PDB file of all heavy atoms in Angstrom:
ATOM      1  N   ALA A  93      24.546  -5.013 -10.321  1.00 85.00           N
ATOM      2  CA  ALA A  93      25.486  -3.814 -10.192  1.00 85.00           C
ATOM      3  C   ALA A  93      25.947  -3.728  -8.736  1.00 85.00           C
ATOM      4  O   ALA A  93      27.120  -3.406  -8.457  1.00 85.00           O
ATOM      5  CB  ALA A  93      24.832  -2.586 -10.693  1.00 85.00           C
ATOM      6  N   GLU A  94      24.974  -3.823  -7.801  1.00 86.00           N
ATOM      7  CA  GLU A  94      25.366  -3.726  -6.393  1.00 86.00           C
ATOM      8  C   GLU A  94      26.267  -4.933  -5.965  1.00 86.00           C
ATOM      9  O   GLU A  94      27.178  -4.762  -5.129  1.00 86.00           O
ATOM     10  CB  GLU A  94      24.136  -3.668  -5.527  1.00 86.00           C
ATOM     11  CG  GLU A  94      23.351  -2.297  -5.621  1.00 86.00           C
ATOM     12  CD  GLU A  94      22.096  -2.328  -4.856  1.00 86.00           C
ATOM     13  OE1 GLU A  94      21.559  -3.404  -4.551  1.00 86.00           O
ATOM     14  OE2 GLU A  94      21.557  -1.253  -4.575  1.00 86.00           O
ATOM     15  N   LYS A  95      26.038  -6.027  -6.560  1.00 87.00           N
ATOM     16  CA  LYS A  95      26.795  -7.234  -6.253  1.00 87.00           C
ATOM     17  C   LYS A  95      28.290  -7.062  -6.667  1.00 87.00           C
ATOM     18  O   LYS A  95      29.229  -7.468  -5.934  1.00 87.00           O
ATOM     19  CB  LYS A  95      26.141  -8.441  -6.935  1.00 87.00           C
ATOM     20  CG  LYS A  95      26.924  -9.834  -6.591  1.00 87.00           C
ATOM     21  CD  LYS A  95      26.112 -10.936  -7.177  1.00 87.00           C
ATOM     22  CE  LYS A  95      26.822 -12.308  -6.904  1.00 87.00           C
ATOM     23  NZ  LYS A  95      26.085 -13.435  -7.524  1.00 87.00           N
ATOM     24  N   ILE A  96      28.503  -6.463  -7.806  1.00 84.00           N
ATOM     25  CA  ILE A  96      29.903  -6.295  -8.279  1.00 84.00           C
ATOM     26  C   ILE A  96      30.401  -4.867  -7.875  1.00 84.00           C
ATOM     27  O   ILE A  96      31.523  -4.586  -8.248  1.00 84.00           O
ATOM     28  CB  ILE A  96      29.896  -6.431  -9.836  1.00 84.00           C
ATOM     29  CG1 ILE A  96      29.079  -5.384 -10.496  1.00 84.00           C
ATOM     30  CG2 ILE A  96      29.525  -7.851 -10.224  1.00 84.00           C
ATOM     31  CD1 ILE A  96      29.176  -5.446 -12.076  1.00 84.00           C
ATOM     32  N   CYS A  97      29.548  -4.116  -7.164  1.00 84.00           N
ATOM     33  CA  CYS A  97      29.991  -2.806  -6.628  1.00 84.00           C
ATOM     34  C   CYS A  97      30.496  -1.881  -7.745  1.00 84.00           C
ATOM     35  O   CYS A  97      31.492  -1.181  -7.614  1.00 84.00           O
ATOM     36  CB  CYS A  97      31.060  -2.966  -5.597  1.00 84.00           C
ATOM     37  SG  CYS A  97      30.445  -3.642  -4.052  1.00 84.00           S
ATOM     38  N   ASP A  98      29.820  -1.865  -8.938  1.00 83.00           N
ATOM     39  CA  ASP A  98      30.159  -0.950 -10.013  1.00 83.00           C
ATOM     40  C   ASP A  98      29.371   0.363  -9.768  1.00 83.00           C
ATOM     41  O   ASP A  98      28.171   0.386 -10.123  1.00 83.00           O
ATOM     42  CB  ASP A  98      29.798  -1.539 -11.357  1.00 83.00           C
ATOM     43  CG  ASP A  98      30.380  -0.756 -12.493  1.00 83.00           C
ATOM     44  OD1 ASP A  98      30.104   0.445 -12.573  1.00 83.00           O
ATOM     45  OD2 ASP A  98      31.083  -1.348 -13.331  1.00 83.00           O
ATOM     46  N   THR A  99      29.955   1.371  -9.183  1.00 82.00           N
ATOM     47  CA  THR A  99      29.332   2.578  -8.816  1.00 82.00           C
ATOM     48  C   THR A  99      28.696   3.269  -9.952  1.00 82.00           C
ATOM     49  O   THR A  99      27.491   3.701  -9.823  1.00 82.00           O
ATOM     50  CB  THR A  99      30.361   3.532  -8.135  1.00 82.00           C
ATOM     51  OG1 THR A  99      30.981   2.798  -7.138  1.00 82.00           O
ATOM     52  CG2 THR A  99      29.632   4.718  -7.503  1.00 82.00           C
ATOM     53  N   THR A 100      29.356   3.414 -11.091  1.00 83.00           N
ATOM     54  CA  THR A 100      28.832   4.113 -12.215  1.00 83.00           C
ATOM     55  C   THR A 100      27.564   3.461 -12.723  1.00 83.00           C
ATOM     56  O   THR A 100      26.528   4.180 -13.003  1.00 83.00           O
ATOM     57  CB  THR A 100      29.808   4.249 -13.367  1.00 83.00           C
ATOM     58  OG1 THR A 100      31.019   4.908 -12.862  1.00 83.00           O
ATOM     59  CG2 THR A 100      29.280   5.005 -14.556  1.00 83.00           C
ATOM     60  N   LEU A 101      27.582   2.166 -12.830  1.00 84.00           N
ATOM     61  CA  LEU A 101      26.476   1.392 -13.286  1.00 84.00           C
ATOM     62  C   LEU A 101      25.298   1.549 -12.261  1.00 84.00           C
ATOM     63  O   LEU A 101      24.101   1.624 -12.675  1.00 84.00           O
ATOM     64  CB  LEU A 101      26.819  -0.057 -13.442  1.00 84.00           C
ATOM     65  CG  LEU A 101      25.946  -0.966 -14.326  1.00 84.00           C
ATOM     66  CD1 LEU A 101      25.794  -0.334 -15.729  1.00 84.00           C
ATOM     67  CD2 LEU A 101      26.552  -2.362 -14.494  1.00 84.00           C
ATOM     68  N   ILE A 102      25.575   1.443 -10.990  1.00 87.00           N
ATOM     69  CA  ILE A 102      24.512   1.641 -10.006  1.00 87.00           C
ATOM     70  C   ILE A 102      23.849   2.988 -10.099  1.00 87.00           C
ATOM     71  O   ILE A 102      22.606   3.082 -10.164  1.00 87.00           O
ATOM     72  CB  ILE A 102      25.140   1.484  -8.557  1.00 87.00           C
ATOM     73  CG1 ILE A 102      25.594   0.061  -8.326  1.00 87.00           C
ATOM     74  CG2 ILE A 102      24.073   1.924  -7.475  1.00 87.00           C
ATOM     75  CD1 ILE A 102      26.350  -0.100  -7.018  1.00 87.00           C
ATOM     76  N   ILE A 103      24.606   4.002 -10.265  1.00 87.00           N
ATOM     77  CA  ILE A 103      24.030   5.335 -10.396  1.00 87.00           C
ATOM     78  C   ILE A 103      23.159   5.509 -11.601  1.00 87.00           C
ATOM     79  O   ILE A 103      22.083   6.026 -11.564  1.00 87.00           O
ATOM     80  CB  ILE A 103      25.172   6.475 -10.426  1.00 87.00           C
ATOM     81  CG1 ILE A 103      25.951   6.400  -9.107  1.00 87.00           C
ATOM     82  CG2 ILE A 103      24.589   7.793 -10.716  1.00 87.00           C
ATOM     83  CD1 ILE A 103      27.198   7.212  -9.064  1.00 87.00           C
TER      84      ILE A 103
END
Side-chain angles (χ1 to χ4, degrees):
E94 289 175 339
K95 184 176 181 180
I96 62 177
C97 290
D98 191 306
T99 308
T100 302
L101 201 53
I102 291 172
I103 296 170

